[in-house]
Amino acid sequence: MTTVWLVDRQFDSKGLVRLTYATEDGERMHTKELAEQRLVTGDGVTAGREVEESALGESPADEVERFASEASKMAAEHDLDDVV
């Protein structure tokens, strides 16, 4: 399992939320989509997650630096299961 940290969340017009988690070096990412309603009725969005290596993809080259910065900040300020 690999630890990834929340680096981006995007809302679309169809009521979906795309959460992007990345490794602290920003090189690898994991994306999860969920219904916006789950943000209200569910357990919330956690600062980090443990994911299988096979669930990780390469981060876009133009996002690696930003993802690394955001992931490092989340890791320093939050526990993995903190709701953010």
Side-chain angles (χ1 to χ4, degrees):
M1 298 290 267
T2 302
T3 302
V4 292
W5 298 92
L6 184 66
V7 296
D8 192 54
R9 72 178 100 194
Q10 296 177 349
F11 296 82
D12 73 10
S13 61
K14 298 175 186 168
L16 291 177
V17 180
R18 174 175 280 186
L19 304 172
T20 302
Y21 290 83
T23 54
E24 282 190 70
D25 63 8
E27 296 286 333
R28 310 277 289 157
M29 62 178 267
H30 172 74
T31 302
K32 178 180 178 177
E33 286 186 347
L34 55 107
E36 190 174 350
Q37 184 63 28
R38 288 217 29 222
L39 293 178
V40 177
T41 61
D43 294 334
V45 175
T46 58
R49 309 184 64 183
E50 294 285 336
V51 297
E52 295 288 338
E53 182 70 27
S54 62
L56 294 173
E58 288 187 35
S59 298
D62 62 337
E63 294 284 18
V64 170
E65 188 175 317
R66 181 175 75 89
F67 284 179
S69 175
E70 292 296 325
S72 294
K73 190 183 313 180
M74 288 295 266
E77 296 176 3
H78 298 281
D79 288 332
L80 206 56
D81 59 353
D82 284 352
V83 176
V84 293

Coordinates of all heavy atoms in Angstrom, one line a residue:
M1 N 0.9 -1.2 0.0 CA 0.0 0.0 0.0 C 0.9 1.2 0.0 O 1.9 1.3 0.6 CB -0.9 0.0 1.2 CG -1.9 -1.2 1.3 SD -3.2 -1.1 0.1 CE -4.4 -0.3 1.0
T2 N 0.4 2.3 -0.7 CA 1.1 3.5 -0.8 C 0.2 4.6 -0.2 O -1.0 4.7 -0.4 CB 1.4 3.8 -2.3 OG1 2.2 2.8 -2.8 CG2 2.2 5.1 -2.4
T3 N 0.9 5.5 0.6 CA 0.1 6.7 1.1 C 0.1 7.8 0.1 O 1.1 8.2 -0.5 CB 0.8 7.2 2.4 OG1 0.9 6.1 3.3 CG2 0.1 8.3 3.0
V4 N -1.1 8.3 -0.1 CA -1.3 9.5 -0.9 C -2.1 10.5 -0.2 O -2.9 10.2 0.8 CB -2.1 9.1 -2.3 CG1 -1.2 8.3 -3.1 CG2 -3.4 8.4 -2.0
W5 N -2.0 11.8 -0.6 CA -2.6 12.9 0.1 C -3.4 13.7 -0.8 O -3.1 13.9 -2.0 CB -1.5 13.8 0.7 CG -0.7 13.0 1.8 CD1 0.5 12.3 1.5 CD2 -1.0 12.8 3.1 NE1 0.9 11.7 2.7 CE2 0.0 12.0 3.7 CE3 -2.0 13.3 3.9 CZ2 0.0 11.7 5.0 CZ3 -2.0 12.9 5.3 CH2 -1.0 12.1 5.8
L6 N -4.5 14.3 -0.3 CA -5.4 15.1 -1.1 C -4.7 16.3 -1.6 O -4.2 17.1 -0.8 CB -6.7 15.5 -0.3 CG -7.7 16.2 -1.0 CD1 -8.4 15.3 -2.1 CD2 -8.8 16.7 -0.1
V7 N -4.8 16.5 -2.9 CA -4.1 17.7 -3.5 C -5.1 18.5 -4.4 O -4.7 19.6 -4.7 CB -2.9 17.2 -4.4 CG1 -1.8 16.6 -3.5 CG2 -3.3 16.3 -5.5
D8 N -6.2 17.9 -4.7 CA -7.1 18.7 -5.6 C -8.5 18.1 -5.4 O -8.7 16.9 -5.3 CB -6.7 18.7 -7.0 CG -7.4 19.6 -7.9 OD1 -7.4 20.8 -7.6 OD2 -8.0 19.2 -8.9
R9 N -9.6 19.0 -5.5 CA -10.9 18.5 -5.6 C -11.7 19.4 -6.6 O -11.5 20.6 -6.6 CB -11.6 18.4 -4.3 CG -12.0 19.6 -3.6 CD -12.7 19.3 -2.3 NE -11.8 19.5 -1.2 CZ -12.0 19.1 0.0 NH1 -13.1 18.5 0.4 NH2 -11.1 19.2 1.0
Q10 N -12.4 18.8 -7.5 CA -13.1 19.5 -8.6 C -14.5 19.0 -8.6 O -14.8 17.9 -8.5 CB -12.4 19.2 -9.9 CG -11.0 19.7 -10.1 CD -10.4 19.4 -11.4 OE1 -11.0 18.6 -12.2 NE2 -9.3 20.0 -11.7
F11 N -15.4 20.0 -8.7 CA -16.8 19.7 -8.8 C -17.3 19.9 -10.2 O -16.8 20.8 -10.9 CB -17.6 20.7 -7.9 CG -17.3 20.6 -6.5 CD1 -16.2 21.2 -5.9 CD2 -18.1 19.8 -5.6 CE1 -15.9 21.1 -4.6 CE2 -17.8 19.7 -4.3 CZ -16.7 20.3 -3.7
D12 N -18.2 19.0 -10.7 CA -18.7 19.2 -12.1 C -20.2 19.5 -12.0 O -20.8 19.5 -11.0 CB -18.4 18.1 -13.0 CG -19.2 16.8 -12.7 OD1 -20.2 16.9 -11.9 OD2 -18.8 15.8 -13.3
S13 N -20.8 19.8 -13.2 CA -22.2 20.3 -13.2 C -23.1 19.1 -13.1 O -24.3 19.3 -12.9 CB -22.4 20.9 -14.6 OG -22.2 20.0 -15.6
K14 N -22.6 17.9 -13.0 CA -23.5 16.7 -12.9 C -23.5 16.2 -11.4 O -24.1 15.1 -11.2 CB -22.9 15.5 -13.8 CG -23.0 15.9 -15.2 CD -22.3 14.8 -16.0 CE -22.3 15.2 -17.5 NZ -21.4 14.3 -18.3
G15 N -23.0 17.0 -10.5 CA -23.0 16.6 -9.1 C -22.0 15.6 -8.7 O -22.1 15.0 -7.7
L16 N -20.9 15.5 -9.5 CA -19.8 14.6 -9.1 C -18.6 15.5 -8.6 O -18.4 16.6 -9.0 CB -19.3 13.8 -10.3 CG -20.2 12.8 -10.9 CD1 -19.6 12.1 -12.1 CD2 -20.5 11.7 -9.8
V17 N -17.9 14.8 -7.7 CA -16.7 15.5 -7.2 C -15.5 14.6 -7.5 O -15.6 13.3 -7.3 CB -16.7 15.6 -5.6 CG1 -15.5 16.3 -5.1 CG2 -18.0 16.4 -5.2
R18 N -14.5 15.1 -8.1 CA -13.3 14.4 -8.4 C -12.2 14.7 -7.4 O -11.8 15.9 -7.4 CB -12.8 14.6 -9.9 CG -11.5 14.0 -10.1 CD -11.0 14.2 -11.5 NE -11.8 13.2 -12.3 CZ -11.7 12.9 -13.6 NH1 -10.8 13.6 -14.3 NH2 -12.4 12.0 -14.2
L19 N -11.8 13.8 -6.7 CA -10.7 14.0 -5.7 C -9.4 13.4 -6.2 O -9.4 12.3 -6.7 CB -11.1 13.2 -4.4 CG -12.4 13.6 -3.7 CD1 -12.7 12.6 -2.6 CD2 -12.4 15.0 -3.3
T20 N -8.4 14.2 -6.1 CA -7.1 13.8 -6.6 C -6.2 13.7 -5.4 O -6.0 14.7 -4.7 CB -6.5 14.7 -7.7 OG1 -7.4 14.8 -8.8 CG2 -5.1 14.2 -8.2
Y21 N -5.6 12.5 -5.2 CA -4.6 12.3 -4.2 C -3.3 12.0 -4.8 O -3.2 11.5 -5.9 CB -5.0 11.1 -3.3 CG -6.2 11.2 -2.5 CD1 -7.5 11.1 -3.0 CD2 -6.1 11.6 -1.1 CE1 -8.6 11.2 -2.2 CE2 -7.2 11.7 -0.3 CZ -8.5 11.5 -0.9 OH -9.6 11.7 -0.1
A22 N -2.2 12.5 -4.2 CA -0.8 12.3 -4.8 C 0.2 11.9 -3.7 O 0.0 12.1 -2.5 CB -0.4 13.5 -5.5
T23 N 1.2 11.2 -4.2 CA 2.3 10.9 -3.3 C 3.0 12.2 -2.9 O 2.9 13.2 -3.6 CB 3.3 9.9 -4.0 OG1 3.7 10.5 -5.2 CG2 2.7 8.6 -4.2
E24 N 3.8 12.1 -1.9 CA 4.5 13.4 -1.4 C 5.5 13.9 -2.4 O 5.8 15.1 -2.4 CB 5.2 13.2 -0.1 CG 4.2 13.2 1.1 CD 4.8 13.3 2.4 OE1 5.5 14.3 2.8 OE2 4.8 12.2 3.1
D25 N 6.0 13.1 -3.3 CA 6.9 13.6 -4.3 C 6.2 14.1 -5.5 O 6.8 14.7 -6.4 CB 7.9 12.5 -4.7 CG 7.3 11.3 -5.4 OD1 6.1 11.3 -5.7 OD2 8.1 10.3 -5.6
G26 N 4.8 13.9 -5.5 CA 4.0 14.5 -6.6 C 4.1 13.6 -7.9 O 3.3 13.9 -8.9
E27 N 4.9 12.6 -7.9 CA 5.1 11.8 -9.2 C 3.9 10.9 -9.5 O 3.6 10.6 -10.7 CB 6.3 11.0 -9.1 CG 7.6 11.8 -8.9 CD 8.0 12.5 -10.2 OE1 7.7 12.0 -11.3 OE2 8.7 13.5 -10.2
R28 N 3.2 10.4 -8.5 CA 2.1 9.4 -8.7 C 0.8 10.0 -8.1 O 0.8 10.7 -7.2 CB 2.5 8.1 -8.1 CG 3.9 7.6 -8.4 CD 4.0 6.8 -9.6 NE 3.3 5.5 -9.5 CZ 2.9 4.8 -10.5 NH1 3.0 5.2 -11.7 NH2 2.3 3.7 -10.3
M29 N -0.3 9.6 -8.8 CA -1.6 10.1 -8.3 C -2.7 9.1 -8.3 O -2.5 8.0 -9.0 CB -2.0 11.3 -9.2 CG -2.2 11.0 -10.6 SD -2.7 12.4 -11.6 CE -4.5 12.1 -11.5
H30 N -3.7 9.3 -7.6 CA -4.9 8.4 -7.5 C -6.1 9.4 -7.6 O -6.2 10.3 -6.8 CB -4.9 7.6 -6.2 CG -6.1 6.9 -6.0 ND1 -6.4 5.7 -6.7 CD2 -7.2 7.1 -5.2 CE1 -7.6 5.2 -6.3 NE2 -8.1 6.1 -5.4
T31 N -7.1 9.0 -8.4 CA -8.3 9.8 -8.6 C -9.5 9.0 -8.1 O -9.6 7.8 -8.4 CB -8.4 10.3 -10.0 OG1 -7.3 11.0 -10.4 CG2 -9.7 11.2 -10.2
K32 N -10.3 9.7 -7.4 CA -11.6 9.0 -6.9 C -12.7 10.0 -7.2 O -12.6 11.2 -7.0 CB -11.5 8.8 -5.4 CG -12.7 8.2 -4.8 CD -12.6 7.9 -3.4 CE -13.8 7.4 -2.8 NZ -13.7 7.1 -1.4
E33 N -13.8 9.4 -7.8 CA -15.0 10.3 -8.1 C -16.1 9.8 -7.2 O -16.3 8.6 -6.9 CB -15.4 10.1 -9.5 CG -14.5 10.9 -10.5 CD -15.1 10.9 -11.9 OE1 -16.0 10.1 -12.2 OE2 -14.6 11.6 -12.7
L34 N -16.9 10.7 -6.7 CA -18.0 10.4 -5.9 C -19.1 11.4 -6.0 O -18.8 12.6 -6.5 CB -17.6 10.2 -4.4 CG -16.9 11.4 -3.7 CD1 -17.9 12.0 -2.7 CD2 -15.8 10.8 -2.9
A35 N -20.3 11.1 -5.7 CA -21.4 12.0 -5.8 C -21.3 13.1 -4.7 O -20.9 12.8 -3.6 CB -22.7 11.2 -5.6
E36 N -21.6 14.3 -5.2 CA -21.4 15.4 -4.2 C -22.3 15.2 -3.0 O -21.9 15.6 -1.9 CB -21.9 16.7 -5.0 CG -21.6 18.0 -4.2 CD -22.0 19.2 -5.1 OE1 -22.3 19.1 -6.3 OE2 -22.0 20.3 -4.5
Q37 N -23.4 14.5 -3.1 CA -24.2 14.3 -1.9 C -23.5 13.5 -0.9 O -23.8 13.6 0.3 CB -25.5 13.5 -2.4 CG -26.5 13.3 -1.3 CD -27.1 14.5 -0.7 OE1 -27.2 15.6 -1.4 NE2 -27.5 14.5 0.5
R38 N -22.6 12.6 -1.3 CA -21.8 11.8 -0.3 C -20.9 12.7 0.6 O -20.6 12.3 1.7 CB -20.9 10.8 -1.0 CG -21.8 9.7 -1.6 CD -21.2 8.3 -1.5 NE -20.3 7.9 -0.4 CZ -19.2 7.2 -0.6 NH1 -18.9 6.8 -1.8 NH2 -18.5 6.9 0.4
L39 N -20.6 13.9 0.1 CA -19.8 14.8 1.0 C -20.6 15.2 2.2 O -20.1 15.5 3.2 CB -19.4 16.0 0.2 CG -18.3 15.8 -0.9 CD1 -18.1 17.1 -1.6 CD2 -17.1 15.2 -0.4
V40 N -21.9 15.3 2.0 CA -22.9 15.7 3.0 C -23.3 14.6 3.9 O -23.3 14.7 5.1 CB -24.1 16.4 2.4 CG1 -25.1 16.8 3.5 CG2 -23.7 17.6 1.6
T41 N -23.6 13.5 3.3 CA -24.2 12.3 4.0 C -23.1 11.3 4.4 O -23.4 10.5 5.3 CB -25.3 11.6 3.2 OG1 -24.7 11.1 2.0 CG2 -26.4 12.5 2.9
G42 N -22.0 11.3 3.8 CA -20.9 10.3 4.1 C -20.0 10.7 5.3 O -20.4 11.6 6.0
D43 N -18.9 10.1 5.3 CA -17.9 10.3 6.4 C -17.0 11.5 6.1 O -16.1 11.8 6.8 CB -17.1 9.1 6.7 CG -17.9 8.0 7.2 OD1 -19.0 8.2 7.8 OD2 -17.5 6.8 7.0
G44 N -17.2 12.1 4.9 CA -16.4 13.3 4.5 C -15.2 12.8 3.7 O -15.0 11.6 3.4
V45 N -14.3 13.7 3.4 CA -13.1 13.5 2.6 C -11.9 13.5 3.5 O -11.8 14.4 4.3 CB -13.0 14.6 1.5 CG1 -11.7 14.4 0.7 CG2 -14.2 14.5 0.6
T46 N -11.1 12.5 3.5 CA -9.9 12.4 4.4 C -8.7 13.1 3.7 O -8.6 13.2 2.5 CB -9.6 11.0 4.7 OG1 -9.4 10.2 3.5 CG2 -10.7 10.3 5.5
A47 N -7.8 13.5 4.6 CA -6.6 14.2 4.1 C -5.7 13.2 3.3 O -5.0 13.7 2.4 CB -5.8 14.7 5.3
G48 N -5.8 12.0 3.6 CA -4.9 11.0 2.9 C -5.6 9.6 2.8 O -6.7 9.4 3.4
R49 N -5.0 8.7 2.1 CA -5.5 7.4 1.9 C -4.3 6.4 1.7 O -3.3 6.9 1.3 CB -6.4 7.3 0.7 CG -7.4 8.3 0.6 CD -8.3 8.1 -0.6 NE -9.0 6.8 -0.4 CZ -9.8 6.2 -1.2 NH1 -10.0 6.7 -2.4 NH2 -10.3 5.0 -1.0
E50 N -4.6 5.2 1.9 CA -3.7 4.1 1.6 C -4.3 3.5 0.3 O -5.4 3.0 0.4 CB -3.5 3.1 2.7 CG -2.9 3.7 3.9 CD -1.4 3.8 3.8 OE1 -0.8 3.2 2.9 OE2 -0.8 4.7 4.5
V51 N -3.5 3.4 -0.7 CA -4.0 2.8 -2.0 C -3.0 1.7 -2.5 O -1.8 1.8 -2.2 CB -4.3 3.8 -3.1 CG1 -5.4 4.8 -2.7 CG2 -3.1 4.6 -3.5
E52 N -3.5 0.8 -3.2 CA -2.7 -0.2 -3.9 C -1.8 0.5 -4.9 O -2.2 1.4 -5.6 CB -3.5 -1.3 -4.5 CG -4.4 -2.1 -3.6 CD -3.5 -3.1 -2.8 OE1 -2.4 -3.4 -3.2 OE2 -4.0 -3.5 -1.7
E53 N -0.6 0.0 -5.1 CA 0.3 0.5 -6.1 C -0.3 0.5 -7.5 O -0.1 1.4 -8.3 CB 1.6 -0.3 -6.0 CG 2.7 0.2 -7.0 CD 3.3 1.6 -6.6 OE1 3.3 1.9 -5.5 OE2 3.7 2.3 -7.6
S54 N -1.1 -0.5 -7.7 CA -1.7 -0.7 -9.0 C -2.8 0.4 -9.3 O -3.2 0.5 -10.4 CB -2.3 -2.1 -9.2 OG -3.3 -2.3 -8.2
A55 N -3.2 1.0 -8.3 CA -4.3 2.1 -8.4 C -3.7 3.5 -8.7 O -4.4 4.4 -8.8 CB -5.2 2.1 -7.2
L56 N -2.4 3.5 -8.7 CA -1.7 4.8 -9.0 C -1.3 5.0 -10.4 O -1.0 4.0 -11.1 CB -0.4 4.9 -8.1 CG -0.5 4.9 -6.6 CD1 0.8 4.8 -6.0 CD2 -1.3 6.2 -6.2
G57 N -1.5 6.2 -10.9 CA -1.0 6.6 -12.2 C 0.0 7.7 -12.1 O 0.3 8.2 -11.1
E58 N 0.6 8.0 -13.3 CA 1.6 9.0 -13.3 C 0.9 10.4 -13.3 O -0.1 10.6 -14.0 CB 2.5 8.9 -14.5 CG 3.4 7.8 -14.5 CD 4.4 7.8 -15.7 OE1 4.8 8.9 -16.1 OE2 4.7 6.7 -16.1
S59 N 1.4 11.3 -12.5 CA 0.9 12.7 -12.5 C 1.3 13.4 -13.8 O 2.3 13.1 -14.3 CB 1.4 13.4 -11.3 OG 1.1 12.8 -10.1
P60 N 0.4 14.3 -14.3 CA 0.8 15.1 -15.5 C 2.0 15.9 -15.1 O 2.2 16.4 -14.0 CB -0.4 16.0 -15.6 CG -1.6 15.3 -14.9 CD -0.9 14.6 -13.8
A61 N 3.0 15.9 -16.1 CA 4.2 16.6 -15.9 C 4.1 18.0 -15.3 O 4.8 18.5 -14.5 CB 5.1 16.6 -17.2
D62 N 3.1 18.7 -15.8 CA 2.9 20.1 -15.4 C 2.2 20.3 -14.0 O 2.1 21.4 -13.5 CB 2.1 20.9 -16.5 CG 0.7 20.4 -16.7 OD1 0.4 19.2 -16.4 OD2 -0.2 21.1 -17.1
E63 N 1.9 19.1 -13.4 CA 1.3 19.2 -12.1 C 2.1 18.6 -11.0 O 1.8 18.7 -9.8 CB -0.1 18.4 -12.1 CG -1.2 19.0 -12.9 CD -1.8 20.2 -12.3 OE1 -1.2 20.8 -11.4 OE2 -2.9 20.6 -12.7
V64 N 3.2 18.0 -11.3 CA 4.1 17.3 -10.4 C 4.5 18.2 -9.2 O 4.4 17.9 -8.0 CB 5.3 16.6 -11.0 CG1 6.3 16.1 -10.0 CG2 4.8 15.5 -11.9
E65 N 5.0 19.4 -9.6 CA 5.5 20.3 -8.5 C 4.4 20.8 -7.6 O 4.5 20.8 -6.4 CB 6.2 21.5 -9.2 CG 6.9 22.4 -8.2 CD 7.6 23.5 -9.0 OE1 8.3 23.3 -10.0 OE2 7.6 24.7 -8.4
R66 N 3.2 21.1 -8.2 CA 2.1 21.5 -7.3 C 1.6 20.4 -6.5 O 1.3 20.6 -5.3 CB 1.0 22.1 -8.2 CG -0.2 22.5 -7.4 CD -1.3 23.2 -8.3 NE -2.1 22.2 -9.0 CZ -3.2 21.6 -8.6 NH1 -3.6 21.9 -7.4 NH2 -3.8 20.7 -9.3
F67 N 1.5 19.2 -7.1 CA 1.0 18.0 -6.3 C 2.0 17.7 -5.1 O 1.6 17.4 -4.0 CB 0.9 16.8 -7.2 CG -0.3 16.8 -8.1 CD1 -0.5 15.7 -8.9 CD2 -1.3 17.8 -8.1 CE1 -1.7 15.7 -9.8 CE2 -2.4 17.8 -8.9 CZ -2.6 16.7 -9.7
A68 N 3.3 17.8 -5.4 CA 4.3 17.6 -4.3 C 4.1 18.6 -3.2 O 4.2 18.2 -2.0 CB 5.7 17.6 -4.9
S69 N 4.0 19.8 -3.6 CA 3.8 20.9 -2.6 C 2.6 20.7 -1.7 O 2.6 20.7 -0.5 CB 3.8 22.2 -3.3 OG 3.5 23.3 -2.3
E70 N 1.4 20.4 -2.4 CA 0.2 20.2 -1.7 C 0.2 18.9 -0.8 O -0.3 19.0 0.3 CB -1.0 20.2 -2.7 CG -1.3 21.5 -3.4 CD -1.7 22.6 -2.4 OE1 -2.4 22.3 -1.4 OE2 -1.4 23.7 -2.7
A71 N 0.7 17.9 -1.4 CA 0.8 16.6 -0.6 C 1.7 16.7 0.6 O 1.3 16.3 1.7 CB 1.3 15.5 -1.5
S72 N 2.8 17.4 0.5 CA 3.7 17.6 1.6 C 3.0 18.4 2.7 O 3.2 18.2 3.9 CB 5.0 18.2 1.1 OG 5.7 17.3 0.3
K73 N 2.3 19.5 2.3 CA 1.6 20.3 3.2 C 0.5 19.6 4.0 O 0.4 19.7 5.2 CB 1.0 21.5 2.4 CG 0.5 22.6 3.3 CD -0.2 23.7 2.5 CE 0.6 24.2 1.4 NZ -0.1 25.3 0.6
M74 N -0.2 18.8 3.2 CA -1.3 18.0 3.9 C -0.7 17.0 4.9 O -1.2 16.8 6.0 CB -2.1 17.2 2.8 CG -3.0 18.1 2.0 SD -4.3 18.8 3.0 CE -5.6 17.6 2.8
A75 N 0.4 16.3 4.5 CA 1.1 15.3 5.3 C 1.6 16.0 6.6 O 1.6 15.4 7.7 CB 2.2 14.6 4.6
A76 N 2.1 17.2 6.5 CA 2.7 17.9 7.7 C 1.6 18.4 8.6 O 1.8 18.5 9.8 CB 3.5 19.1 7.2
E77 N 0.4 18.7 8.1 CA -0.6 19.4 8.9 C -1.7 18.4 9.3 O -2.5 18.8 10.2 CB -1.3 20.5 8.1 CG -0.3 21.6 7.8 CD -0.9 22.7 6.9 OE1 -2.1 22.7 6.5 OE2 -0.1 23.7 6.5
H78 N -1.8 17.2 8.8 CA -3.0 16.3 9.0 C -2.5 14.9 9.2 O -1.5 14.5 8.7 CB -4.0 16.4 7.9 CG -4.6 17.7 7.7 ND1 -5.6 18.2 8.4 CD2 -4.3 18.7 6.7 CE1 -5.9 19.4 8.0 NE2 -5.2 19.7 6.9
D79 N -3.3 14.2 10.0 CA -3.2 12.7 10.0 C -4.0 12.2 8.8 O -4.8 12.8 8.2 CB -3.9 12.2 11.3 CG -3.1 12.5 12.5 OD1 -1.8 12.6 12.5 OD2 -3.7 12.6 13.6
L80 N -3.6 11.0 8.4 CA -4.2 10.3 7.2 C -5.7 10.4 7.2 O -6.4 10.7 6.2 CB -3.7 8.9 7.2 CG -3.6 8.2 5.8 CD1 -2.8 9.0 4.9 CD2 -3.2 6.8 6.0
D81 N -6.3 10.1 8.4 CA -7.8 10.0 8.4 C -8.5 11.3 8.9 O -9.7 11.2 9.2 CB -8.2 8.8 9.3 CG -7.7 8.9 10.7 OD1 -6.9 9.8 11.0 OD2 -8.1 8.1 11.6
D82 N -7.8 12.4 9.0 CA -8.5 13.7 9.3 C -9.4 14.0 8.2 O -9.1 13.9 7.0 CB -7.5 14.8 9.4 CG -6.7 14.8 10.7 OD1 -7.0 14.0 11.6 OD2 -5.7 15.6 10.8
V83 N -10.6 14.5 8.5 CA -11.6 14.9 7.5 C -11.3 16.4 7.2 O -11.1 17.2 8.1 CB -13.0 14.8 8.1 CG1 -14.0 15.4 7.1 CG2 -13.4 13.3 8.4
V84 N -11.1 16.6 5.9 CA -10.8 18.0 5.4 C -11.8 18.5 4.4 O -12.5 17.8 3.8 CB -9.4 18.0 4.8 CG1 -8.3 17.7 5.8 CG2 -9.3 17.0 3.6

